[in-house]
Amino acid sequence: FNSVLDKYIYISSFWTMSIEEKFAKLSVGDESSIVEAVKADGVVKSGLAANIDALVAKCAAKDEAEALAGLATAKALAEGAPEAEAFTKECLAACLEQASAKAGSVKKAAVETAMAIAKNITPFAMKSLLPAIFSQLPVEKKWQTRELALNCIASFSETAPKQLGNALPEIVPEVTACMWDTKKQVKAAGIAAMKGSLTVIGNKDIDHMTDNILMAITKPKEVPEIMHKMAGVTFVQSVESAALAMVVPLLLRGLREKSTATKRQSAVIINNMSKLVDNPLDAAPFLPLLLPALETNADSIADPEAREVTGRAVEQLKRLKGLADKALSVRGDISKLGEEFKTALEAGEAAGLDNVVAHASTVSTCMMDLHFMDELQWKKNIAPLFAPYVDAAKAEAATEAVRAKAESMLEVPEEDDDDDDAEELCNCQFTLAYGTKILLHNTKMKLKRGKRYGLLGGNDSGKTTLMRSIANNQVEGFPDTSSVRTVFVEADIQGEQSHLSCIDYVAIDPKIEALDINKEEIRTVLGTVGFTPDGKAKPDHAVSTLSGGWRMKLALARAMLQKADILLLDEPTNHLDVINVAWVKSYLNSLTDVTSIIVSHDSGLLNDCCTNMLQIENLKLHSFKGNLDEFVKLKPSARSYFSFTESKQTFRFPQPGTIEGVKSKGKALMKMGGCTFTYPGNETPTLFDISVQVSLSSRVACVGENGAGKSTMIKLLVGEIEPQTGDVWKHPNARIAYVAQHAFHHIESHLDQTPNEYIRWRYANNGEDKESLVKVTMQFTPEEEKLQKTPYEIQFTDDETGKVSKVKKVVAELVGGRKTNKSKDYEYEIRYAGSSVDSGEYLPQKTLKKMGWEKAMKAVDAKIAQRAGLYVRPLSTKNVEQHLEDCGLDREFGTHYRMSALSGGQKVKVVLAAAMWNQPHILILDEPTNYLDRDALGALAGAIEVFDGGVVMITHNNEFCSKLCPETWVMDAGHLETKGDADWMLKQDTKIDEQKQITEVTDAAGNVTKLKGQKKKLSKKEEKQLLKKIKGKIKNGLDLDTDEEEFAFEKDLL
């Protein structure tokens, strides 16, 4: 300007120019007038909308003065005119380019302007800047430009954290590439951007791992150690796209590591995390990256166990992909919303309208993705954008119309419920965990009055835990049990209450006490279910005298007294005979105003009683209308819950091996003869004159009504109790496995041990079973103790002189040794009273029996038999782990979980595995079908079919026993009748010497020991020849081999 006057005239005229003219003559200092014009007249009237391209061109100008003027104007608009952001943001790409300009002043202005645009944009519009930012990140761009673009991303962690989290799936791959850049400035900016992004994941499970995730990207050598830490994370929170975006790069690195352990850990983490993805569309962008890498590993990893784990992760991701493919997308669609806005606004073609609509659509979709769907939120963030085109009322109405449309896009159609007349008792959403294991995640449950729901799921899926949690008020959103009376029915009786009478047992229940129910009312209700003074179960007798079936009826009676709104029944037909199962069905169907949730492996019960089915699958609770048959039509795979033939599990029992002196599989190993038994306090015997026998080829089902005496007879047979009259005999070398009806009593005092630790404790003393040594039948009676202390005349023969002498002596104990004498009878090593050392002397079985030591001899026999089982398979952690797996318990639960954390089905498998460890010859199962699902029952049936030992089972499951047992013992009020093919075992009279012999064993250290096969019985001719040969060797002073030496001792040649 030539004078101050010229400058004044120019400034005065500039304020009256149009924006188009202003942009043509733009210089530094003019920006305030442009901001004022936009604020006063709006983006359309002021001309900004029509001339934004001119401003972009100024920002990108090569001329320093023009560039500085354009950048100053864009910065002023970003900071002072938020209503213009739909247009101002167009300058961002030019600002980023100018960061690498030659002039330092332009560089500085470009950085300030770009950061002003990034920091001042509406948080919900943050995503609209990403295309411009990403376009400046490729490696061919100047490093100053790339650095500034990354700094813009880093700023979003402060100004738009939620929106940044929503955009992470797009941002992370772009930023990750820059973190390995050779230019240190770009690398540092990339790390800073990633660090900022990690702060907005919003997943508490992995918040503490963010530094490790960052390190994994920059220091690949740390990946194995970081994967190890990651594998220790227990995932509980829903996994959303932000968390996946951060973790997937780490997981991909883990999958590509050389170490098999790291590949396996990556697969485990992928499997665990993917189960917690509520919206499959969150995972969809990452599946094309993870699935191929996992599939490659599943085919190529050498370790079979790691390959199997990886295979499970592949199946899980394929399931997730299937869900993602089918899922109705509820993510905001910019193109759909753009059309909706144009229709609602009815604004025609106005300058810059397309820019504003696109901007509003981006804001709207971000609000949809983050579930900001409130009217006021949309009115505040979107309606003002349309002020230059329509009046405020029209803008708000159009915004509301599009919001309503967007809300309908977010709705996932649910199945119509046609039972609207039924009262809704519960409609809640919750997560359920047991210890560190997630059972149900973010799942819904709706219950209606009067409906009977069958609850399905495999063993360990959380069925009982769910019901117990409902009963204990631990399910989030479930009505309090005081407002909706909820009763959990289970038949387990605590040991400290077992002495109480049935009436007192019910009366001391805290819930019964709280309802102030008197004993007469209790007696009346017990009478309605069969507890009468002259019945099988008497109300005034102790609950310990009740059989399993009557215990369940007692639990049902207690529930009836509480007048429940919701009954939770865990295996209500366990232990019940056919008559009582029918009674339970009738009772449940009569409860028209009571809602029931029933867990049962009895398909008949679920068909005859259930109106709806609930299924636990993939951490979700799925609801279906109809009974079990209708459910199976919809989901045929559920048949495996109830069909043996559909079983996918396999159990393998150890084979029993041979028994010395037993040549035929039909020879009796256990016998009862004329046994009668009466419980203390009862006048009438429970069992009358029972005689049975069991051999290696026995397959016996013991059936009868509840309380008929089945379990009592089995307890007599295995030595848990003693008969008042009659004899019980067991072959001294036979090993017996007994799984009781109330199986958990075996492990009740060991719940703080893992199954592996329990089995190793139980058999630690040279293979002796500690559980077998506490039986009543192994405790000495006063009469036996008196005999043991009475001196007994023992006859001795001097080997040199042949002189016979008689001495009265007292045996202090049996030391544990046993041998066979010339008469083929056993002799036992003893220690005499008064002797401080073992004498090395043996006494015959008959003599010791007269001296009161019969039970001690049985104990020695049991120990020797048990040691024989241990020899073939040493008691190592690895062997026990494999054995537990063979009995259906995964090594994860067998070796790493305490028994207190196991489900009922898992505990039964532990008890079964522990009983089978020492390779028993006879397996006795009292109600084996309780607590095991059909998959496990099918596996159990398969294992029994190929088991070479004898099997006796008590069961009410006709399908199970008819499949396996040709012989039946029918117990009726204490009297036994045998039915079926009792002599079938004689047809199976296979000689034991035809069985495959064990030729070698491997101990825990890997040492192999060769075993001699069973000795072949010699013919008379062969025996004569061997006798002649041995005599010749002895005469000539030649050494005998082991077999010859044994034969020589047997024939008194030595």
Side-chain angles (χ1 to χ4, degrees):
F1 298 104
N2 295 324
S3 66
V4 174
L5 180 61
D6 290 340
K7 186 175 182 180
Y8 175 75
I9 293 169
Y10 173 79
I11 291 172
S12 299
S13 64
F14 190 85
W15 281 94
T16 59
M17 288 181 195
S18 67
I19 276 189
E20 185 178 3
E21 294 172 310
K22 287 178 181 178
F23 282 164
K25 299 181 178 181
L26 194 64
S27 63
V28 175
D30 296 341
E31 59 270 13
S32 57
S33 70
I34 293 174
V35 170
E36 289 301 323
V38 170
K39 288 176 75 70
D41 299 328
V43 293
V44 176
K45 197 171 178 184
S46 68
L48 179 65
N51 293 283
I52 189 61
D53 291 342
L55 180 59
V56 172
K58 286 284 182 185
C59 291
K62 298 241 173 141
D63 180 79
E64 184 178 349
E66 283 189 27
L68 287 173
L71 291 168
T73 303
K75 181 177 181 236
L77 285 169
E79 292 175 339
E83 61 267 40
E85 69 178 20
F87 301 95
T88 310
K89 69 180 184 181
E90 301 294 329
C91 299
L92 181 60
C95 297
L96 294 172
E97 289 274 10
Q98 290 285 36
S100 55
K102 290 179 181 178
S105 57
V106 174
K107 282 183 185 178
K108 184 182 176 190
V111 169
E112 290 174 356
T113 305
M115 295 307 293
I117 294 172
K119 287 182 176 180
N120 288 287
I121 197 159
T122 302
F124 289 111
M126 179 274 292
K127 232 175 180 179
S128 67
L129 300 182
L130 295 182
I133 291 173
F134 292 163
S135 70
Q136 303 302 320
L137 286 178
V139 71
E140 54 269 17
K141 296 287 182 179
K142 299 277 180 70
W143 69 263
Q144 296 92 336
T145 294
R146 299 170 70 207
E147 181 186 23
L148 179 55
L150 290 165
N151 289 341
C152 289
I153 293 174
S155 71
F156 297 145
S157 64
E158 295 178 7
T159 60
K162 285 194 176 88
Q163 294 78 3
L164 175 61
N166 180 49
L168 282 183
E170 299 156 52
I171 289 172
V172 169
E174 300 284 347
V175 175
T176 302
C178 297
M179 291 172 69
W180 306 323
D181 204 83
T182 53
K183 204 73 182 172
K184 64 180 181 181
Q185 292 91 339
V186 175
K187 184 176 181 179
I191 291 172
M194 185 64 82
K195 196 175 277 188
S197 300
L198 283 165
T199 62
V200 303
I201 293 176
N203 189 300
K204 292 177 183 176
D205 297 335
I206 56 173
D207 273 351
H208 68 288
M209 291 292 296
T210 51
D211 289 342
N212 290 305
I213 293 170
L214 195 65
M215 188 188 297
I217 298 170
T218 55
K219 297 180 181 177
K221 287 183 180 177
E222 299 293 327
V223 168
E225 179 59 29
I226 293 166
M227 291 304 302
H228 190 69
K229 291 178 183 175
M230 195 79 176
V233 174
T234 300
F235 292 99
V236 178
Q237 194 175 336
S238 292
V239 175
E240 296 174 339
S241 57
L244 284 170
M246 281 304 174
V247 175
V248 164
L250 172 61
L251 295 174
L252 280 171
R253 280 189 171 277
L255 291 173
R256 291 165 184 160
E257 282 287 314
K258 288 182 181 178
S259 162
T260 297
T262 305
K263 289 178 177 178
R264 182 189 182 281
Q265 283 173 333
S266 300
V268 169
I269 295 164
I270 290 168
N271 194 20
N272 291 342
M273 285 190 76
S274 60
K275 287 176 182 174
L276 299 182
V277 175
D278 284 337
N279 184 356
L281 294 171
D282 279 342
F286 309 105
L287 296 176
L289 299 170
L290 291 174
L291 250 179
L294 269 175
E295 287 173 327
T296 300
N297 286 0
D299 293 334
S300 61
I301 293 177
D303 179 12
E305 195 270 338
R307 204 163 57 239
E308 184 185 340
V309 168
T310 306
R312 286 201 293 267
V314 169
E315 290 306 309
Q316 174 61 19
L317 283 200
K318 283 182 176 175
R319 183 191 71 82
L320 200 57
K321 185 177 185 300
L323 293 173
D325 292 343
K326 291 178 192 172
L328 181 69
S329 177
V330 292
R331 294 202 172 281
D333 186 325
I334 291 176
S335 59
K336 282 184 184 176
L337 289 183
E339 291 303 317
E340 293 293 337
F341 274 121
K342 285 183 179 179
T343 304
L345 286 165
E346 300 175 333
E349 296 294 328
L353 182 60
D354 286 347
N355 295 54
V356 174
V357 167
H359 187 69
S361 300
T362 302
V363 173
S364 304
T365 54
C366 189
M367 293 180 78
M368 287 173 70
D369 290 347
L370 294 171
H371 303 288
F372 281 79
M373 297 304 297
D374 189 75
E375 290 176 46
L376 292 175
Q377 292 167 336
W378 280 57
K379 184 178 176 182
K380 173 187 170 185
N381 288 290
I382 296 170
L385 297 172
F386 301 118
Y389 302 96
V390 294
D391 60 50
K394 179 71 173 173
E396 288 177 12
T399 301
E400 174 54 23
V402 176
R403 188 200 66 81
K405 192 77 176 174
E407 200 162 44
S408 68
M409 292 178 189
L410 290 175
E411 290 174 4
V412 177
E414 290 189 10
E415 183 185 353
D416 287 337
D417 195 336
D418 56 8
D419 299 320
D420 292 331
D421 56 327
E423 179 192 350
E424 188 174 275
L425 293 179
C426 156
N427 190 354
C428 59
Q429 189 163 342
F430 62 96
T431 291
L432 182 69
Y434 190 92
T436 59
K437 184 182 180 185
I438 302 297
L439 301 171
L440 288 164
H441 182 260
N442 208 17
T443 194
K444 292 180 179 178
M445 178 167 63
K446 185 189 286 187
L447 301 176
K448 297 213 165 187
R449 185 176 291 282
K451 301 297 172 189
R452 292 177 293 281
Y453 298 86
L455 179 58
L456 302 178
N459 271 354
D460 327 326
S461 60
K463 303 183 295 294
T464 302
T465 303
L466 172 60
M467 296 209 297
R468 202 180 293 281
S469 299
I470 292 172
N472 295 338
N473 270 340
Q474 292 170 334
V475 171
E476 185 183 351
F478 198 91
D480 190 276
T481 50
S482 57
S483 57
V484 175
R485 196 173 291 167
T486 307
V487 180
F488 185 34
V489 182
E490 56 180 342
D492 283 350
I493 291 169
Q494 302 301 318
E496 63 270 16
Q497 298 175 349
S498 59
H499 66 286
L500 297 172
S501 72
C502 297
I503 288 176
D504 290 338
Y505 172 74
V506 173
I508 66 161
D509 184 278
K511 291 182 178 177
I512 299 292
E513 287 180 335
L515 293 169
D516 198 25
I517 298 172
N518 61 47
K519 289 190 178 180
E520 281 311 306
E521 190 177 345
I522 294 171
R523 187 182 293 275
T524 303
V525 172
L526 286 180
T528 64
V529 298
F531 286 83
T532 56
D534 57 348
K536 288 180 182 174
K538 300 172 175 56
D540 295 306
H541 279 199
V543 290
S544 59
T545 64
L546 298 178
S547 67
W550 283 102
R551 290 184 183 201
M552 181 53 77
K553 292 188 82 171
L554 183 66
L556 282 166
R558 183 174 58 183
M560 290 163 69
L561 283 160
Q562 295 176 52
K563 299 179 175 62
D565 293 305
I566 298 176
L567 268 182
L568 307 169
L569 300 125
D570 190 7
E571 300 289 358
T573 58
N574 267 9
H575 314 292
L576 295 184
D577 56 30
V578 177
I579 298 164
N580 283 312
V581 168
W583 177 85
V584 169
K585 289 179 184 177
S586 173
Y587 170 65
L588 289 175
N589 288 332
S590 70
L591 301 174
T592 53
D593 288 330
V594 178
T595 299
S596 307
I597 302 179
I598 307 164
V599 170
S600 179
H601 295 122
D602 182 346
S603 52
L605 177 75
L606 298 180
N607 263 330
D608 295 343
C609 293
C610 291
T611 58
N612 300 69
M613 303 305 297
L614 300 171
Q615 184 193 23
I616 297 176
E617 187 178 42
N618 295 317
L619 307 185
K620 297 293 181 186
L621 190 65
H622 306 280
S623 182
F624 302 85
K625 287 179 190 164
N627 65 5
L628 179 64
D629 280 348
E630 289 165 10
F631 171 67
V632 168
K633 287 175 191 173
L634 291 172
K635 293 206 73 172
S637 61
R639 194 178 285 111
S640 65
Y641 296 139
F642 301 94
S643 168
F644 298 139
T645 55
E646 299 282 336
S647 176
K648 296 170 187 171
Q649 283 190 51
T650 307
F651 288 4
R652 285 181 294 275
F653 290 159
Q655 296 302 346
T658 57
I659 303 179
E660 186 183 344
V662 176
K663 304 297 181 187
S664 164
K665 290 187 81 171
K667 184 173 180 178
L669 298 181
M670 304 178 80
K671 287 182 185 177
M672 284 171 61
C675 291
T676 297
F677 177 79
T678 308
Y679 276 106
N682 285 6
E683 295 174 6
T684 308
T686 302
L687 299 176
F688 298 88
D689 193 26
I690 303 295
S691 297
V692 293
Q693 69 178 44
V694 184
S695 71
L696 281 171
S697 56
S698 291
R699 289 289 186 279
V700 182
C702 184
V703 299
E705 289 185 14
N706 291 132
K710 303 182 298 296
S711 295
T712 303
M713 181 186 73
I714 294 298
K715 287 178 180 177
L716 277 179
L717 186 63
V718 299
E720 294 250 326
I721 53 178
E722 285 187 287
Q724 281 80 18
T725 60
D727 296 312
V728 180
W729 173 85
K730 176 181 81 72
H731 192 287
N733 291 333
R735 296 185 294 275
I736 312 299
Y738 171 48
V739 179
Q741 184 181 61
H742 306 289
F744 302 159
H745 86 260
H746 291 285
I747 57 174
E748 276 170 2
S749 53
H750 304 280
L751 294 178
D752 58 346
Q753 292 179 307
T754 66
N756 198 311
E757 289 168 344
Y758 166 66
I759 291 178
R760 285 185 286 120
W761 164 85
R762 181 165 162 177
Y763 292 98
N765 189 18
N766 290 321
E768 294 170 16
D769 184 357
K770 291 188 177 79
E771 298 277 7
S772 70
L773 304 179
V774 293
K775 292 177 181 173
V776 173
T777 50
M778 290 298 186
Q779 311 301 315
F780 297 123
T781 63
E783 292 79 10
E784 287 170 331
E785 288 176 344
K786 185 179 178 183
L787 276 175
Q788 290 167 9
K789 292 172 184 174
T790 305
Y792 186 84
E793 189 176 88
I794 298 169
Q795 185 173 297
F796 294 95
T797 304
D798 191 291
D799 290 339
E800 293 181 6
T801 63
K803 183 182 176 184
V804 176
S805 56
K806 295 180 181 179
V807 182
K808 286 195 173 185
K809 287 198 170 191
V810 173
V811 171
E813 64 174 338
L814 271 60
V815 178
R818 187 185 74 184
K819 67 179 184 181
T820 309
N821 60 22
K822 294 176 184 177
S823 307
K824 304 292 184 184
D825 291 327
Y826 284 130
E827 292 185 352
Y828 294 84
E829 188 178 1
I830 51 91
R831 181 175 66 79
Y832 288 116
S835 172
S836 59
V837 294
D838 296 344
S839 63
E841 294 188 50
Y842 288 77
L843 286 180
Q845 183 178 347
K846 292 175 184 175
T847 303
L848 285 167
K849 187 175 181 179
K850 292 174 184 174
M851 298 174 74
W853 291 99
E854 184 179 7
K855 288 176 181 173
M857 289 188 288
K858 286 182 180 178
V860 170
D861 292 338
K863 288 179 182 179
I864 291 170
Q866 287 161 7
R867 284 174 192 161
L870 180 72
Y871 181 56
V872 177
R873 187 171 46 168
L875 192 67
S876 66
T877 303
K878 188 175 181 182
N879 279 343
V880 174
E881 186 176 86
Q882 183 58 53
H883 175 67
L884 284 162
E885 275 204 327
D886 287 344
C887 292
L889 190 68
D890 188 84
R891 66 183 63 188
E892 188 75 19
F893 299 105
T895 305
H896 304 292
Y897 274 63
R898 289 185 172 182
M899 289 192 284
S900 56
L902 300 185
S903 69
Q906 289 171 321
K907 286 176 181 172
V908 169
K909 290 173 185 175
V910 174
V911 173
L912 185 62
M916 294 301 293
W917 170 258
N918 67 352
Q919 297 163 280
H921 299 99
I922 305 292
L923 172 60
I924 298 176
L925 301 165
D926 194 348
E927 294 285 7
T929 58
N930 293 343
Y931 299 103
L932 291 180
D933 61 19
R934 284 303 170 103
D935 216 21
L937 278 181
L940 178 60
I944 288 173
E945 277 186 315
V946 298
F947 179 55
D948 281 344
V951 179
V952 178
M953 65 178 79
I954 297 176
T955 179
H956 294 300
N957 189 319
N958 183 57
E959 184 186 357
F960 186 72
C961 68
S962 62
K963 176 177 166 55
L964 297 167
C965 303
E967 183 184 356
T968 307
W969 297 345
V970 182
M971 185 66 74
D972 183 18
H975 295 276
L976 184 71
E977 180 187 357
T978 59
K979 287 185 178 180
D981 190 4
D983 294 324
W984 78 291
M985 59 193 73
L986 300 177
K987 300 168 192 171
Q988 304 286 319
D989 199 5
T990 329
K991 295 295 179 184
I992 291 179
D993 36 357
E994 292 173 12
Q995 293 180 351
K996 188 178 178 183
Q997 298 287 310
I998 297 168
T999 59
E1000 62 180 38
V1001 296
T1002 306
D1003 66 17
N1007 302 311
V1008 178
T1009 307
K1010 296 288 182 184
L1011 297 181
K1012 290 192 297 182
Q1014 193 173 4
K1015 282 194 292 184
K1016 181 186 172 188
K1017 187 167 183 180
L1018 301 176
S1019 66
K1020 286 188 178 180
K1021 184 178 179 182
E1022 288 170 330
E1023 191 175 306
K1024 194 173 180 182
Q1025 288 173 342
L1026 182 59
L1027 201 61
K1028 185 177 179 182
K1029 180 183 174 184
I1030 290 173
K1031 281 180 178 178
K1033 277 191 171 186
I1034 294 170
K1035 184 177 180 181
N1036 297 322
L1038 300 174
D1039 290 335
L1040 304 180
D1041 66 27
T1042 308
D1043 288 338
E1044 289 170 341
E1045 194 172 8
E1046 276 185 33
F1047 187 78
F1049 274 116
E1050 196 178 305
K1051 298 297 180 184
D1052 277 342
L1053 300 177
L1054 293 174

